[in-house]
Amino acid sequence: MRRQRAGAVTAAAVLLLAGCTSEQETAQTPGLEERGTVLTTVKAERQDLTNKISLAGKVAIDPVFGVVAPIGGEVRYVQRKPSAKPAEEALWVATVWKNGQPREVVIPKGSIMAGRLMEDRSTVAKGMPIVSARHSGYGIVANIDSAQAYRISGAVSSVTGQIKNGPGPFKCKPKGTIAALPAGTIPEPPPTTAPTTSPSGAPVQPEQPVDVPEGSEATGLQLVCTPPPTVTLINGAEVTLEVVTGKAEDVMVLPVEAVAGTQGKGKVDVVDENQNRKTVDVTLGLTDGKVIEIKKGLTGEETIAIPGPNLPTAEAQPGQPG
């Protein structure tokens, strides 16, 4: 009896051990998917879209803004004596010539010529800042970082301001272009050749030398706007600006993570039924930072991979900062 019991216990132990070993052998760690396998996909949708950006700004006195070339060509500056008096009407300060046709460049009423941003007779491109001007009085200046640059570099349709613990919301009129400006220079005025005597023979007092301003300092990428005169401003007060650069209705959109590029032309990866990627070109439109408009290149039925075909982040090389 003792031998039978001992044999039964041994057999049970063997069976138990065998069962545990079998379960352990069948439990395997999940493996990784093959490199290049598409795990996340999306299809284009249609919706209304508004490109709206929030900026942090401050009230400033006599802020500087840029005026751009209306066309590409050769810039020729108007020779004027420097003045500290704001223009009483739009002031002609330069001309851009292309194929023998001139296009005037003016600074707006209420501003002062602050500097030339290019050498006289330089070749310029359309939209390039060529003149800096100084708004006379209070204005609002908001700095723009590189992540927002391309979303806001186009035409601004409206700007709304709200002063912290102060007036608002109110409309704020944009001044000049949205761009970083190089230092502006004011050249010496041309020498005068006035006669030393009047027609009567009396000596003529020579003109007093004109103090030439130093010109404008370089700026970062910024937006300058002016609120209505009814809004009370305090220099240095913090302001929140809501900038709308465009609106579109019932447009095709994709998540920004699925698209390489943020303005003009871009690329997406189309995935077929065998999980193979094919990179195609698309024409891009507005974005709200979450989705981006697809103007051309897709029908809307394609399956799109996430992330898109962006270049991988470069790894730090020895001797370079990480």
Side-chain angles (χ1 to χ4, degrees), residues 151-179:
R151 288 186 59 196
I152 201 173
S153 62
V156 174
S157 60
S158 69
V159 180
T160 304
Q162 170 72 61
I163 299 177
K164 185 176 181 180
N165 300 323
F170 51 81
K171 292 296 182 183
C172 200
K173 184 179 180 181
K175 306 286 286 188
T177 185
I178 297 173

mmCIF file of all heavy atoms in Angstrom, residues 151-179:
data_model
loop_
_atom_site.group_PDB
_atom_site.id
_atom_site.type_symbol
_atom_site.label_atom_id
_atom_site.label_comp_id
_atom_site.label_asym_id
_atom_site.label_seq_id
_atom_site.Cartn_x
_atom_site.Cartn_y
_atom_site.Cartn_z
ATOM 1 N N ARG A 151 2.546 79.375 -40.838
ATOM 2 C CA ARG A 151 1.095 79.469 -40.709
ATOM 3 C C ARG A 151 0.620 80.906 -40.799
ATOM 4 O O ARG A 151 -0.530 81.160 -41.129
ATOM 5 C CB ARG A 151 0.637 78.865 -39.381
ATOM 6 C CG ARG A 151 0.725 77.358 -39.305
ATOM 7 C CD ARG A 151 0.106 76.856 -38.020
ATOM 8 N NE ARG A 151 -1.291 77.241 -37.927
ATOM 9 C CZ ARG A 151 -1.984 77.215 -36.801
ATOM 10 N NH1 ARG A 151 -1.398 76.864 -35.667
ATOM 11 N NH2 ARG A 151 -3.245 77.572 -36.790
ATOM 12 N N ILE A 152 1.501 81.855 -40.490
ATOM 13 C CA ILE A 152 1.083 83.251 -40.412
ATOM 14 C C ILE A 152 1.759 84.130 -41.450
ATOM 15 O O ILE A 152 1.506 85.334 -41.513
ATOM 16 C CB ILE A 152 1.374 83.790 -38.992
ATOM 17 C CG1 ILE A 152 0.522 85.010 -38.684
ATOM 18 C CG2 ILE A 152 2.849 84.088 -38.809
ATOM 19 C CD1 ILE A 152 0.635 85.478 -37.260
ATOM 20 N N SER A 153 2.610 83.538 -42.300
ATOM 21 C CA SER A 153 3.365 84.357 -43.237
ATOM 22 C C SER A 153 2.526 84.862 -44.403
ATOM 23 O O SER A 153 2.927 85.784 -45.105
ATOM 24 C CB SER A 153 4.562 83.555 -43.791
ATOM 25 O OG SER A 153 4.096 82.421 -44.497
ATOM 26 N N GLY A 154 1.364 84.254 -44.637
ATOM 27 C CA GLY A 154 0.500 84.721 -45.717
ATOM 28 C C GLY A 154 -0.262 85.970 -45.315
ATOM 29 O O GLY A 154 0.012 86.609 -44.308
ATOM 30 N N ALA A 155 -1.227 86.337 -46.147
ATOM 31 C CA ALA A 155 -2.019 87.539 -45.884
ATOM 32 C C ALA A 155 -2.857 87.342 -44.615
ATOM 33 O O ALA A 155 -3.477 86.301 -44.412
ATOM 34 C CB ALA A 155 -2.919 87.833 -47.074
ATOM 35 N N VAL A 156 -2.880 88.357 -43.765
ATOM 36 C CA VAL A 156 -3.672 88.327 -42.538
ATOM 37 C C VAL A 156 -5.031 88.955 -42.829
ATOM 38 O O VAL A 156 -5.110 90.098 -43.278
ATOM 39 C CB VAL A 156 -2.959 89.094 -41.409
ATOM 40 C CG1 VAL A 156 -3.852 89.191 -40.188
ATOM 41 C CG2 VAL A 156 -1.641 88.420 -41.064
ATOM 42 N N SER A 157 -6.104 88.201 -42.584
ATOM 43 C CA SER A 157 -7.434 88.723 -42.882
ATOM 44 C C SER A 157 -8.002 89.530 -41.725
ATOM 45 O O SER A 157 -8.750 90.482 -41.942
ATOM 46 C CB SER A 157 -8.387 87.584 -43.245
ATOM 47 O OG SER A 157 -8.500 86.664 -42.176
ATOM 48 N N SER A 158 -7.655 89.175 -40.493
ATOM 49 C CA SER A 158 -8.141 89.951 -39.344
ATOM 50 C C SER A 158 -7.289 89.677 -38.120
ATOM 51 O O SER A 158 -6.739 88.582 -37.961
ATOM 52 C CB SER A 158 -9.608 89.623 -39.041
ATOM 53 O OG SER A 158 -9.731 88.305 -38.540
ATOM 54 N N VAL A 159 -7.168 90.700 -37.258
ATOM 55 C CA VAL A 159 -6.449 90.583 -35.988
ATOM 56 C C VAL A 159 -7.329 91.175 -34.895
ATOM 57 O O VAL A 159 -7.842 92.294 -35.030
ATOM 58 C CB VAL A 159 -5.097 91.327 -36.008
ATOM 59 C CG1 VAL A 159 -4.380 91.170 -34.666
ATOM 60 C CG2 VAL A 159 -4.220 90.818 -37.138
ATOM 61 N N THR A 160 -7.524 90.421 -33.820
ATOM 62 C CA THR A 160 -8.308 90.884 -32.677
ATOM 63 C C THR A 160 -7.413 90.893 -31.450
ATOM 64 O O THR A 160 -6.667 89.935 -31.219
ATOM 65 C CB THR A 160 -9.520 89.973 -32.435
ATOM 66 O OG1 THR A 160 -10.306 89.907 -33.626
ATOM 67 C CG2 THR A 160 -10.383 90.503 -31.302
ATOM 68 N N GLY A 161 -7.473 91.981 -30.670
ATOM 69 C CA GLY A 161 -6.611 92.120 -29.499
ATOM 70 C C GLY A 161 -7.390 92.162 -28.201
ATOM 71 O O GLY A 161 -8.559 92.560 -28.160
ATOM 72 N N GLN A 162 -6.739 91.727 -27.141
ATOM 73 C CA GLN A 162 -7.289 91.790 -25.776
ATOM 74 C C GLN A 162 -6.145 92.129 -24.835
ATOM 75 O O GLN A 162 -5.185 91.359 -24.700
ATOM 76 C CB GLN A 162 -7.920 90.456 -25.375
ATOM 77 C CG GLN A 162 -8.306 90.354 -23.905
ATOM 78 C CD GLN A 162 -9.509 91.213 -23.568
ATOM 79 O OE1 GLN A 162 -10.592 91.012 -24.106
ATOM 80 N NE2 GLN A 162 -9.327 92.169 -22.676
ATOM 81 N N ILE A 163 -6.204 93.306 -24.193
ATOM 82 C CA ILE A 163 -5.168 93.710 -23.248
ATOM 83 C C ILE A 163 -5.427 93.040 -21.912
ATOM 84 O O ILE A 163 -6.556 93.028 -21.415
ATOM 85 C CB ILE A 163 -5.143 95.244 -23.084
ATOM 86 C CG1 ILE A 163 -4.820 95.901 -24.435
ATOM 87 C CG2 ILE A 163 -4.116 95.666 -22.039
ATOM 88 C CD1 ILE A 163 -4.841 97.404 -24.408
ATOM 89 N N LYS A 164 -4.370 92.461 -21.337
ATOM 90 C CA LYS A 164 -4.508 91.767 -20.055
ATOM 91 C C LYS A 164 -4.988 92.742 -18.984
ATOM 92 O O LYS A 164 -4.387 93.795 -18.767
ATOM 93 C CB LYS A 164 -3.161 91.159 -19.653
ATOM 94 C CG LYS A 164 -3.230 90.308 -18.394
ATOM 95 C CD LYS A 164 -1.885 89.669 -18.102
ATOM 96 C CE LYS A 164 -1.956 88.797 -16.864
ATOM 97 N NZ LYS A 164 -0.642 88.159 -16.568
ATOM 98 N N ASN A 165 -6.109 92.378 -18.366
ATOM 99 C CA ASN A 165 -6.729 93.223 -17.330
ATOM 100 C C ASN A 165 -7.049 94.626 -17.852
ATOM 101 O O ASN A 165 -7.000 95.608 -17.113
ATOM 102 C CB ASN A 165 -5.832 93.338 -16.091
ATOM 103 C CG ASN A 165 -5.549 91.991 -15.460
ATOM 104 O OD1 ASN A 165 -6.411 91.125 -15.419
ATOM 105 N ND2 ASN A 165 -4.318 91.811 -14.982
ATOM 106 N N GLY A 166 -7.331 94.703 -19.151
ATOM 107 C CA GLY A 166 -7.606 96.002 -19.752
ATOM 108 C C GLY A 166 -8.636 95.905 -20.854
ATOM 109 O O GLY A 166 -9.424 94.950 -20.920
ATOM 110 N N PRO A 167 -8.648 96.865 -21.780
ATOM 111 C CA PRO A 167 -9.651 96.913 -22.843
ATOM 112 C C PRO A 167 -9.583 95.725 -23.800
ATOM 113 O O PRO A 167 -8.538 95.122 -23.982
ATOM 114 C CB PRO A 167 -9.322 98.218 -23.579
ATOM 115 C CG PRO A 167 -8.470 99.000 -22.648
ATOM 116 C CD PRO A 167 -7.726 98.011 -21.825
ATOM 117 N N GLY A 168 -10.725 95.467 -24.425
ATOM 118 C CA GLY A 168 -10.804 94.444 -25.447
ATOM 119 C C GLY A 168 -12.007 93.549 -25.246
ATOM 120 O O GLY A 168 -12.692 93.646 -24.213
ATOM 121 N N PRO A 169 -12.283 92.716 -26.246
ATOM 122 C CA PRO A 169 -11.583 92.576 -27.528
ATOM 123 C C PRO A 169 -11.809 93.780 -28.446
ATOM 124 O O PRO A 169 -12.831 94.440 -28.378
ATOM 125 C CB PRO A 169 -12.177 91.299 -28.142
ATOM 126 C CG PRO A 169 -12.924 90.628 -27.046
ATOM 127 C CD PRO A 169 -13.342 91.706 -26.105
ATOM 128 N N PHE A 170 -10.818 94.038 -29.339
ATOM 129 C CA PHE A 170 -10.909 95.127 -30.297
ATOM 130 C C PHE A 170 -10.162 94.720 -31.571
ATOM 131 O O PHE A 170 -9.275 93.877 -31.546
ATOM 132 C CB PHE A 170 -10.292 96.413 -29.726
ATOM 133 C CG PHE A 170 -8.906 96.233 -29.171
ATOM 134 C CD1 PHE A 170 -7.797 96.217 -30.004
ATOM 135 C CD2 PHE A 170 -8.713 96.068 -27.804
ATOM 136 C CE1 PHE A 170 -6.519 96.044 -29.494
ATOM 137 C CE2 PHE A 170 -7.431 95.889 -27.284
ATOM 138 C CZ PHE A 170 -6.332 95.882 -28.132
ATOM 139 N N LYS A 171 -10.544 95.317 -32.685
ATOM 140 C CA LYS A 171 -9.859 95.067 -33.942
ATOM 141 C C LYS A 171 -8.511 95.787 -33.938
ATOM 142 O O LYS A 171 -8.405 96.916 -33.457
ATOM 143 C CB LYS A 171 -10.695 95.546 -35.126
ATOM 144 C CG LYS A 171 -11.966 94.745 -35.340
ATOM 145 C CD LYS A 171 -11.656 93.297 -35.699
ATOM 146 C CE LYS A 171 -12.921 92.506 -35.961
ATOM 147 N NZ LYS A 171 -12.625 91.074 -36.248
ATOM 148 N N CYS A 172 -7.495 95.121 -34.475
ATOM 149 C CA CYS A 172 -6.151 95.691 -34.509
ATOM 150 C C CYS A 172 -5.673 95.647 -35.964
ATOM 151 O O CYS A 172 -5.624 94.571 -36.578
ATOM 152 C CB CYS A 172 -5.214 94.879 -33.612
ATOM 153 S SG CYS A 172 -3.715 95.757 -33.092
ATOM 154 N N LYS A 173 -5.346 96.809 -36.529
ATOM 155 C CA LYS A 173 -4.993 96.903 -37.954
ATOM 156 C C LYS A 173 -3.526 96.540 -38.168
ATOM 157 O O LYS A 173 -2.634 97.203 -37.648
ATOM 158 C CB LYS A 173 -5.257 98.324 -38.453
ATOM 159 C CG LYS A 173 -5.019 98.503 -39.939
ATOM 160 C CD LYS A 173 -5.330 99.923 -40.377
ATOM 161 C CE LYS A 173 -5.089 100.112 -41.867
ATOM 162 N NZ LYS A 173 -5.373 101.506 -42.295
ATOM 163 N N PRO A 174 -3.237 95.499 -38.972
ATOM 164 C CA PRO A 174 -1.835 95.122 -39.214
ATOM 165 C C PRO A 174 -1.087 96.219 -39.966
ATOM 166 O O PRO A 174 -1.640 96.906 -40.822
ATOM 167 C CB PRO A 174 -1.951 93.859 -40.075
ATOM 168 C CG PRO A 174 -3.340 93.359 -39.865
ATOM 169 C CD PRO A 174 -4.181 94.574 -39.625
ATOM 170 N N LYS A 175 0.196 96.378 -39.639
ATOM 171 C CA LYS A 175 1.071 97.357 -40.297
ATOM 172 C C LYS A 175 2.196 96.623 -41.004
ATOM 173 O O LYS A 175 2.911 95.821 -40.402
ATOM 174 C CB LYS A 175 1.661 98.331 -39.272
ATOM 175 C CG LYS A 175 0.647 99.037 -38.394
ATOM 176 C CD LYS A 175 -0.102 100.103 -39.158
ATOM 177 C CE LYS A 175 0.743 101.317 -39.429
ATOM 178 N NZ LYS A 175 -0.023 102.434 -40.011
ATOM 179 N N GLY A 176 2.360 96.903 -42.296
ATOM 180 C CA GLY A 176 3.475 96.335 -43.032
ATOM 181 C C GLY A 176 3.389 94.828 -43.176
ATOM 182 O O GLY A 176 2.310 94.242 -43.193
ATOM 183 N N THR A 177 4.551 94.204 -43.255
ATOM 184 C CA THR A 177 4.631 92.776 -43.492
ATOM 185 C C THR A 177 4.991 92.016 -42.223
ATOM 186 O O THR A 177 5.475 92.604 -41.246
ATOM 187 C CB THR A 177 5.693 92.464 -44.565
ATOM 188 O OG1 THR A 177 5.669 91.074 -44.871
ATOM 189 C CG2 THR A 177 7.100 92.821 -44.069
ATOM 190 N N ILE A 178 4.747 90.718 -42.248
ATOM 191 C CA ILE A 178 5.146 89.845 -41.137
ATOM 192 C C ILE A 178 6.450 89.182 -41.536
ATOM 193 O O ILE A 178 6.467 88.236 -42.337
ATOM 194 C CB ILE A 178 4.056 88.807 -40.854
ATOM 195 C CG1 ILE A 178 2.767 89.508 -40.413
ATOM 196 C CG2 ILE A 178 4.515 87.828 -39.790
ATOM 197 C CD1 ILE A 178 1.586 88.588 -40.281
ATOM 198 N N ALA A 179 7.552 89.699 -41.024
ATOM 199 C CA ALA A 179 8.867 89.180 -41.407
ATOM 200 C C ALA A 179 9.914 89.720 -40.451
ATOM 201 O O ALA A 179 9.718 90.751 -39.809
ATOM 202 C CB ALA A 179 9.212 89.587 -42.840
#
